[in-house]
Amino acid sequence: MSKASRKVLLGFVDEHIKSESCSDDAYTVNKIGGLSNTLNQNFSPKCPLCNRQTPLLIQIYAPVTNSIYHRTLYIHACVSPGCWNKSQSWICLRRQWVAVDDYDNKQQPTTFIEWCDDADDWGEEPVAVAEENGNITVPSQAIEICDTASAELENSDADDNVVAEPIEIPNTNFFQLLDSRKEIPSDHYNMTIYFEPYYISVAYEESSDTVKEHANNLLHSYQNNQMILEEKNEGYEKSLPAHGDKLFETFASIIRKNPGQILRYCRTGGKPLFLYEESEPNECTNCKGKLLFELQILPSLITYLKLICGDDHLGSGHLEFGTALIYTCENNCWNEGDTYKYECVIVQEEKLF
């Protein structure tokens, strides 16, 4: 297996899709939301838990090397709050189309080339907000206002007899405020439900041998120090992160290296980033063959998910999850006459430690 084949591809939110294409090659578009770009534009599978339609979350064009098929993954998720963070309420459909009749003459590009044809073409220069990881710096007038107010109070001829009125404490349910779940009216499920569509741009995950070598040196140094400390103190226990979970710490530290990523893709030799320990699926439900980890959807996607029901723009707050892991058949099992194949989705909930 070549070194390049193990590279992780990162997906980032790009431009808003103002008008969705109905062309014959629309299934090759990588995007968030919108409608499934297939022969059945309005196809929306039902949630196995609540039997309501599930809007398209992500569409990924992911052809496989030396295959005669075009290959696209359609990932749907139920927006009913009762189904959030449950693997059964997510659906991944793999669809394939014959690309050429003569397999011997076909030169099918790899998934990595397909994804990264325009990886370096980012269009306009990024604004300063992107370099600040999305944190907009606005000149604050708070200090000036407070200074003025303080000066007026000090110089005022206020009455010495000041009567302080009792403060009325608001009756607020703070737990309810923290709960951002939004229920969709039942009659809206009879409409076409979809998330506002955006293109997905792709780039390779930044990684260099120099960084790896430096990290290994730090690791060896740390391990040596740990051994010395353990010899001095038999009761020593290796420290955990503040929240007590090493997997979560690894997840967060890797994501921080490339801010803004919404998904991670690596079908060949890729490894998922778990929030907590969980057994990985290993058998295709269709052909009983081996499953491969293919891509991971990150919670940073949530802020971009704005739901539309018919002509009603319902905004954000209609889906929550910690991370979603997609496993697909290693053999890409497919029979003549097949419309789609169900693939495996594992959803992990973000937990408070």
Side-chain angles (χ1 to χ4, degrees):
M1 187 183 301
S2 65
K3 180 179 178 181
S5 65
R6 285 196 177 98
K7 283 189 174 181
V8 176
L9 290 164
L10 306 180
F12 299 86
V13 177
D14 207 321
E15 295 181 357
H16 176 256
I17 302 177
K18 297 179 180 178
S19 178
E20 294 219 67
S21 172
C22 295
S23 61
D24 293 338
D25 62 349
Y27 56 83
T28 64
V29 175
N30 298 314
K31 66 174 186 175
I32 297 168
L35 302 176
S36 301
N37 290 136
T38 65
L39 297 177
N40 299 317
Q41 284 286 325
N42 294 325
F43 176 78
S44 183
K46 296 293 183 66
C47 172
L49 298 180
C50 67
N51 201 36
R52 291 170 170 169
Q53 65 169 300
T54 58
L56 177 69
L57 190 67
I58 284 181
Q59 172 180 303
I60 296 296
Y61 179 59
V64 176
T65 308
N66 298 325
S67 171
I68 64 171
Y69 294 103
H70 290 292
R71 178 177 179 271
T72 303
L73 301 178
Y74 302 91
I75 302 166
H76 297 251
C78 184
V79 294
S80 177
C83 297
W84 290 357
N85 290 303
K86 297 179 181 179
S87 300
Q88 301 94 321
S89 67
W90 285 56
I91 298 172
C92 177
L93 300 178
R94 168 169 53 89
R95 292 195 169 196
Q96 300 185 177
W97 296 265
V98 175
V100 292
D101 295 330
D102 188 357
Y103 176 81
D104 294 331
N105 294 332
K106 178 173 176 55
Q107 295 180 352
Q108 175 68 27
T110 66
T111 299
F112 299 96
I113 295 176
E114 288 290 343
W115 265 62
C116 281
D117 279 342
D118 301 317
D120 296 325
D121 183 13
W122 295 94
E124 299 179 356
E125 291 296 324
V127 294
V129 176
E131 297 182 359
E132 295 294 333
N133 300 339
N135 295 323
I136 303 175
T137 303
V138 181
S140 175
Q141 299 178 352
I143 297 178
E144 180 182 351
I145 294 174
C146 289
D147 287 344
T148 303
S150 177
E152 290 180 355
L153 285 174
E154 290 177 0
N155 297 328
S156 64
D157 297 328
D159 192 344
D160 293 336
N161 298 322
V162 179
V163 179
E165 296 183 358
I167 299 175
E168 182 178 350
I169 301 176
N171 184 15
T172 305
N173 187 335
F174 292 100
F175 291 102
Q176 186 175 2
L177 290 176
L178 292 174
D179 187 357
S180 60
R181 294 183 296 179
K182 296 181 181 178
E183 186 73 56
I184 299 175
S186 299
D187 58 344
H188 281 49
Y189 284 99
N190 298 325
M191 306 177 185
T192 300
I193 300 178
Y194 62 98
F195 289 109
E196 190 172 334
Y198 291 87
Y199 290 111
I200 296 176
S201 292
V202 181
Y204 283 116
E205 183 174 37
E206 290 295 332
S207 179
S208 66
D209 293 335
T210 303
V211 173
K212 290 179 181 178
E213 183 179 356
H214 179 62
N216 287 332
N217 291 336
L218 291 176
L219 177 61
H220 292 316
S221 176
Y222 171 78
Q223 289 175 337
N224 291 334
N225 291 335
Q226 291 293 88
M227 292 176 63
I228 294 173
L229 289 174
E230 288 178 355
E231 290 176 358
K232 292 182 177 181
N233 184 5
E234 295 180 356
Y236 172 83
E237 292 183 359
K238 292 183 179 180
S239 61
L240 288 170
H243 48 68
D245 192 281
K246 288 185 175 180
L247 283 176
F248 183 86
E249 177 68 15
T250 301
F251 176 94
S253 62
I254 292 178
I255 299 303
R256 280 196 297 266
K257 294 177 182 178
N258 293 274
Q261 57 181 296
I262 60 166
L263 64 84
R264 301 172 59 83
Y265 185 99
C266 187
R267 189 173 191 270
T268 307
K271 297 294 183 182
L273 298 176
F274 286 100
L275 292 176
Y276 45 83
E277 289 187 5
E278 183 163 342
S279 59
E280 295 187 73
N282 53 24
E283 184 179 270
C284 173
T285 57
N286 302 301
C287 69
K288 307 305 178 183
K290 182 181 177 181
L291 286 179
L292 295 176
F293 166 73
E294 184 158 353
L295 68 94
Q296 178 167 6
I297 302 175
L298 304 174
S300 50
L301 172 65
I302 294 175
T303 57
Y304 298 96
L305 298 178
K306 300 176 182 178
L307 197 65
I308 300 175
C309 294
D311 296 328
D312 297 335
H313 290 248
L314 303 182
S316 58
H318 295 281
L319 183 64
E320 290 288 343
F321 62 94
T323 189
L325 315 172
I326 311 299
Y327 294 80
T328 58
C329 178
E330 180 182 35
N331 301 319
N332 280 296
C333 57
W334 195 259
N335 300 315
E336 185 177 353
D338 284 344
T339 305
Y340 53 80
K341 293 287 189 182
Y342 284 96
E343 297 290 11
C344 181
V345 184
I346 300 296
V347 177
Q348 290 194 321
E349 179 180 5
E350 184 176 0
K351 297 180 178 180
L352 297 177
F353 296 96

